[in-house]
Amino acid sequence: MTQSPTAPAIPVMPRTTHLVTGSALSVAHGPSAEPTSVVARFEDWARRTPQAPAVIDGTQIWTYQDLDAAAALVAADLADRVRPGDLVGVCLDRSTALVVTAVALARLGAVYLPLGPRPGERRIQAVTEDLDVACLIGDPDVLPGEHRSGAHFPLLLPTDGVNAPSAVVAAFAEAVRGTRRAPGGALYAVLTSGSTGRPKAVAVAESSLSVALDWYRAETGLAPGDRQSLLIGVAFDPHLLELWAALTSGAALVPAPDDTRWDSHLLTDWWRDTALTHAVAATPTVEPLLDRPWPQDLKLRHLVVGGDRMRRRPAADVTATVHNAYGPAEATVVTTTHTMRGTDPEAGDQAPPPIGTALPGVTLVVTDDEGRPVARGQEGELRVGGHCLALGYLDPELTALRFTSPPREPALPAIDRLYRTGDRVRMNADDSLDFLGRLDDQVKISGVRIEPVEVEAAFEQDPRVRTAVVTVLRDSSGHGRLVAHVRPADGAAPATGELLAAVRSWLPEQAVPTAVRIVDSFPLDANGKVDRTALAVQARAQAPVPPRTATSDDFADVTVTATERLVLTTVRELLGRPGIGLGDNFTDAGGTSVVAARLLATVEREAGVRLRAPELLRSTDLRAFAALLDQRRTPRPEGA
């Protein structure tokens, strides 16, 4: 209320005192929870139902007894070389071998550090220079150089089935390892994007994961006889929710073929063919499914989606219960969820749904810049506390910066620290949260949190690059893509395609920019800092420098076919790179799995031909891909 100049003065309370009652503050608590044991629960199912399927890998079924015995052998082989608390980098894909390794390391008390099946050599080098990684487990042919030349100990892990390695070793490098170890009690550690230009590792205790797993079982009813996906990329922590949810429920895990990440049709075919009942998927993967009729012959009952902002609600024809999940790795995969069903009155609404309410054992606080809770309905930074919190980063200084003390008022019983998410949210009267964006420079690309400065640092490792600045461009639907603005070193004239190829060894796929602009200088703001907004405007207004392989103007060529025009226009729009030509290779031009999925969806919609991701990736260039498309939609002569 505005105060009249003639009204008697009313004392103004200092900012440190709240006039709002506790019930009106943006503080919410999930139901009570008690941590349990993850490994013991799996072992209990192995004793109770030894012949039940634990992993359904194509035509091969691994029972709980099989999995238990295989994990015991691997643990025995590693026992003399890996101590409890040691970090072990796992370079395996979603496979039976990965599942056996996860169980074996948990039994040893070693800390599972998932790195993905083909981690970039320089990225691994940065990790092993910082962290005390005891060994890497993976296919010796794809391990980084220093681990290929070190001591190898073969492991008896499955080498057939979906995404199976051809062989698996525990590789010990001769080089001096980093000094940072995981804190005591850690079950796993995962890498997240680092603002210093190097990935940072966050460690999570078994007890924290157990609370998330208990919620998952209670919410979805996952039980013996059910089938749970193993779909999420191994470098990202949600795959741990999938893996251990099945193994602690007596259910069966089903590893996903790699193609399912690229093609939404293949994803639903896989759900149908494997009779999946429960699945976890990244929001960008699921979005195309919501734009067309939902398949009605699925056994899928529950679908948990997360990693990016959901832009619409599932329609009334969606037969699965969809859980819109939110949670940083620092809060153990899932922190809040909002449940949606086809029978809801809001089904099909085009407005983004909330990210939901707190899971059991989770406390949510929305704060101002100084860490004080704001009133309900006001925007602020989300801070999270409770059983869900990770032990912290392997860098103690970073842990102290991001894991802070709770506010003095209101008192938060049993909460001794809160994690600052950096996410801007609003808490509603029903305790649910609306996600409003980020407060810092960190962005999400295809559901993965990216620090632009880490991408910049990867470019600046190249001696041909003097400085790099990364901006984010978003299309009308909100999908983001990274653009790198590179100032070359004196006398250097790097090709953009060569720069992109170089940074792939440093960065995860989602962090590789879709375009590179060569610039002479950067615009500055009033404070003398690089004006990223102005750079983004320039990137939208100007055609980026094309790769050297691109033709000057393919559309000026009268021989360009309608199919080539469709492919080229779509790729240019998706990547935001008008200079791309028919002679360019899709991946070299900045194409990623998410972009490929959108390209294939557009091609099917416009041309009526369904192609698969490997056919795109195997094509030498976009002209060859267009030729394949023409071949598929040209009817064969009779008798051919």
Side-chain angles (χ1 to χ4, degrees):
M1 179 180 292
T2 304
Q3 191 171 303
S4 167
T6 58
I10 298 177
V12 178
M13 301 298 292
R15 289 189 65 193
T16 52
T17 303
H18 287 283
L19 295 178
V20 218
T21 62
S23 60
L25 292 177
S26 294
V27 178
H29 305 278
S32 61
E34 283 297 329
T36 57
S37 171
V38 173
V39 181
R41 189 179 286 271
F42 158 73
E43 292 174 339
D44 183 51
W45 283 113
R47 286 190 297 269
R48 292 166 56 187
T49 59
Q51 299 307 314
V55 181
I56 299 176
D57 188 355
T59 59
Q60 187 170 1
I61 296 177
W62 289 70
T63 67
Y64 271 81
Q65 184 179 61
D66 296 334
L67 181 59
D68 183 60
L73 286 175
V74 173
D77 286 341
L78 291 173
D80 293 337
R81 304 176 183 92
V82 175
R83 300 167 298 170
D86 278 352
L87 285 162
V88 176
V90 178
C91 305
L92 298 170
D93 208 343
R94 298 151 306 194
S95 60
T96 303
L98 177 80
V99 180
V100 174
T101 300
V103 175
L105 294 179
R107 281 185 162 167
L108 280 174
V111 182
Y112 172 87
L113 177 64
L115 299 172
R118 289 176 176 82
E121 187 157 342
R122 290 179 176 175
R123 185 174 176 85
I124 289 296
Q125 181 181 356
V127 169
T128 53
E129 286 175 354
D130 292 342
L131 308 181
D132 184 9
V133 178
C135 67
L136 298 184
I137 292 178
D139 187 327
D141 292 336
V142 298
L143 291 177
E146 66 177 22
H147 284 83
R148 284 198 298 270
S149 59
H152 288 183
F153 295 91
L155 297 178
L156 294 175
L157 286 168
T159 54
D160 53 4
V162 174
N163 303 320
S166 58
V168 186
V169 299
F172 296 79
E174 297 177 357
V176 176
R177 303 200 300 254
T179 58
R180 292 175 183 164
R181 293 179 57 82
L187 175 69
Y188 70 87
V190 291
L191 301 181
T192 65
S193 189
S195 58
T196 62
R198 299 171 78 90
K200 57 190 179 186
V202 60
V204 177
E206 180 180 11
S207 58
S208 296
L209 181 62
S210 77
V211 173
L213 296 174
D214 289 345
W215 162 81
Y216 190 93
R217 287 191 299 270
E219 184 70 17
T220 69
L222 184 64
D226 287 330
R227 298 185 177 192
Q228 167 69 53
S229 68
L230 185 58
L231 171 67
I232 300 296
V234 173
F236 309 114
D237 60 316
H239 87 276
L240 284 148
L241 180 70
E242 296 181 284
L243 190 153
W244 286 108
L247 298 186
T248 58
S249 303
L253 269 172
V254 186
D258 198 53
D259 287 357
T260 56
R261 294 191 306 137
W262 300 69
D263 189 324
S264 58
H265 285 286
L266 288 180
L267 179 63
T268 51
D269 288 347
W270 177 66
W271 286 348
R272 179 187 302 107
D273 295 344
T274 57
L276 273 186
T277 58
H278 294 68
V280 177
T283 306
T285 304
V286 172
E287 279 182 332
L289 304 180
L290 304 181
D291 292 331
R292 61 175 187 258
W294 186 260
Q296 295 300 299
D297 54 350
L298 300 178
K299 292 187 177 181
L300 191 70
R301 301 199 308 271
H302 289 272
L303 173 61
V304 178
V305 299
D308 207 342
R309 188 180 188 188
M310 201 171 191
R311 293 170 176 82
R312 55 166 291 183
R313 292 174 182 266
D317 65 340
V318 176
T319 53
T321 298
V322 179
H323 307 267
N324 186 30
Y326 162 87
E330 293 84 350
T332 316
V333 190
V334 184
T335 306
T336 67
T337 59
H338 178 71
T339 300
M340 296 170 285
R341 299 177 176 85
T343 54
D344 294 341
E346 306 88 356
D349 282 0
Q350 297 300 307
I355 57 174
T357 54
L359 262 65
V362 173
T363 291
L364 308 173
V365 185
V366 184
T367 72
D368 60 18
D369 292 343
E370 298 180 13
R372 298 185 301 254
V374 300
R376 294 288 175 106
Q378 291 184 0
E379 299 179 8
E381 179 183 9
L382 175 60
R383 304 192 187 206
V384 179
H387 292 305
C388 65
L389 282 197
L391 294 168
Y393 299 105
L394 272 61
D395 180 348
E397 292 183 2
L398 186 58
T399 300
L401 181 66
R402 302 296 296 182
F403 291 82
T404 62
S405 300
R408 294 182 179 179
E409 295 181 6
L412 301 177
I415 300 297
D416 59 354
R417 58 192 183 126
L418 295 173
Y419 169 67
R420 298 187 60 180
T421 66
D423 288 326
R424 185 165 56 90
V425 300
R426 176 176 53 240
M427 186 175 288
N428 302 308
D430 62 354
D431 290 352
S432 68
L433 295 177
D434 293 326
F435 181 81
L436 305 175
R438 290 288 302 173
L439 292 168
D440 53 22
D441 291 335
Q442 194 179 78
V443 297
K444 276 196 174 181
I445 302 295
S446 303
V448 178
R449 288 188 294 160
I450 303 295
E451 295 272 7
V453 70
E454 180 178 9
V455 184
E456 294 163 1
F459 277 94
E460 291 166 2
Q461 296 288 337
D462 194 311
R464 297 169 295 178
V465 175
R466 181 174 180 180
T467 313
V469 175
V470 172
T471 60
V472 181
L473 298 185
R474 297 193 181 277
D475 59 23
S476 58
S477 62
H479 295 298
R481 54 187 175 83
L482 297 178
V483 176
H485 312 261
V486 171
R487 183 181 177 189
D490 292 341
T496 57
E498 294 173 356
L499 293 176
L500 282 173
V503 299
R504 289 183 187 276
S505 67
W506 284 99
L507 301 170
E509 179 191 26
Q510 290 83 351
V512 177
T514 61
V516 176
R517 295 179 65 241
I518 304 297
V519 299
D520 295 326
S521 61
F522 299 116
L524 304 180
D525 61 19
N527 297 319
K529 297 181 179 180
V530 174
D531 191 336
R532 294 174 183 268
T533 302
L535 272 178
V537 170
Q538 291 177 8
R540 290 189 184 95
Q542 302 171 6
V545 176
R548 290 177 176 174
T549 57
T551 58
S552 58
D553 187 357
D554 287 288
F555 287 162
D557 186 346
V558 295
T559 64
V560 171
T561 68
T563 302
E564 289 172 342
R565 187 177 297 271
L566 167 65
V567 170
L568 189 57
T569 300
T570 304
V571 172
R572 285 177 172 181
E573 290 177 352
L574 290 173
L575 295 179
R577 301 186 62 192
I580 289 175
L582 290 169
D584 288 318
N585 174 270
F586 173 77
T587 302
D588 292 343
T592 65
S593 60
V594 174
V595 175
R598 292 172 186 159
L599 171 61
L600 294 171
T602 300
V603 164
E604 181 176 3
R605 183 176 65 250
E606 299 295 331
V609 177
R610 180 180 170 190
L611 296 176
R612 297 192 173 189
E615 295 174 307
L616 169 61
L617 301 180
R618 285 196 297 264
S619 299
T620 54
D621 53 30
L622 296 179
R623 182 177 283 107
F625 177 67
L628 176 63
L629 177 57
D630 273 331
Q631 177 185 347
R632 290 294 175 83
R633 66 176 175 181
T634 301
R636 293 186 177 185
E638 290 187 13

